[in-house]
Amino acid sequence: PPPNDENARPRILLMGLRRSGKSSISKVVFQKMSPNETLFLETSNKIVKENIRNSAFVDFELWDLPGQTDFFDPNSDADIMFGLRGSLIFVIDAQDDYIEALNKLHSTVTKAYKINPNIKFEVFIHKIDGLTEDNKIETQRDIHQRAMDDLSDSGFDQLQLNFHLTSIYDHSIFEAFSKVVQRLMIYLPFIENLLNLLITNSAIEKAFLFDVVSKMYIATDSTPVDMQSYELCCDMIDVVIDISWIYGVKDDNASSAYDDYSSSVIKLNNGTVLFLREVGHYLAVVCILREENFDRRGIITYNVLCFRNAIQQLFELMNKKSNPEIK
Ligand code: GDP
């Protein structure tokens, strides 16, 4: 495909010094490895490429690039590697001295930018589980300041970096990866609009569209996201999948009882209701609402169905765009 073709499958590059946590991130988010197991990961000297095809919106190539290699030397195919539509995630170990990492960040993003100014640059200030609250803010401020100063000193003011505080020991890595994927989605504003319509017409507090396999959220309405609501919805997905596995009746050819018709309601003892409905293959909308508003359950179910139809129509449009008919 031509460079930056908006219909091309995006590529996400994971870069950073060795031991910064790149392989751990990829294993925890996409292979469900538990964070403690990453302690024993061996450092690899090769590029590890993975095809992530979870659902219609989480569909990209993930490349884990070893920290010690220079991908811009004349012998490597930097033009090919950085030429496609995608993101470059640079991982910085916040528990370590990060001066060397900042130098590497600077040389990496400026070289990649020269090859392809449309790459989305994301910086993960990683392993923040080891930092106190004050320290987190101070570290983020310091890294942000130094990185931006370096860029403006060398005339790259227009190069935009997005910063995220991450750790594999909590939901922050999933949240950050959600944002990275969202930034690559062409139809994001459209889906956000649909979610806004859904919540206002159904008296819902918050709605997320989830990639069920990775538990990243692909979109949400425009009200602010708080980490607790996001975690609550992630937990609900776990519960629904577990219950489906144990008690669900599956079709002969289905791999699990969790399918396109799955839906679930969980009432919490604080007057909140969680409502989940599958809206596409491994895509679910999860809503948080107040119990008294759930009295109008019929309306909510109907509105979610309308949302589902709109998403299905979007799939058809996406299919047409990637397989255009010859007239
Ligand atoms: P890579 O060389 O960049 O691929 O780094 P690895 O993924 O091999 O990770 C190096 C070490 O960092 C491992 O021992 C991981 O367990 C550890 N690590 C990765 N992510 C985190 C994190 O979020 N917090 C903490 N405390 N350790 C982490």
Side-chain angles (χ1 to χ4, degrees), residues 17-25 35 38-39 41-43 64 95 126-129 166-169:
L17 298 183
R18 55 189 294 272
R19 308 295 292 160
S20 56
K22 301 176 292 296
S23 331
S24 309
I25 293 174
T38 66
L39 286 169
L41 280 178
E42 297 206 1
T43 300
D64 181 354
Q95 291 188 16
H126 191 54
K127 307 193 190 178
I128 48 148
D129 47 279
T166 57
S167 161
I168 53 170
Y169 287 95

Side-chain angles (χ1 to χ4, degrees), residues 9 39 66 93 123 125-126 132 169 194 218 225 240 274 302:
R9 205 157 167 253
L39 286 169
D93 181 346
V123 181
I125 302 172
H126 191 54
T132 61
Y169 287 95
L194 289 175
I218 291 155
V225 176
V240 174
L274 301 175
Y302 178 76

Side-chain angles (χ1 to χ4, degrees), residues 105 122-125 140 143-144 147-148 161-165:
L105 167 73
E122 316 278 352
V123 181
F124 284 7
I125 302 172
Q140 180 175 27
I143 290 182
H144 185 274
M148 299 318 274
L161 300 177
N162 301 305
F163 292 87
H164 312 260
L165 290 171

Side-chain angles (χ1 to χ4, degrees), residues 219-234:
T220 182
D221 60 86
S222 340
T223 64
V225 176
D226 75 84
M227 211 51 170
Q228 252 187 337
S229 320
Y230 172 59
E231 286 174 22
L232 204 57
C233 296
C234 289

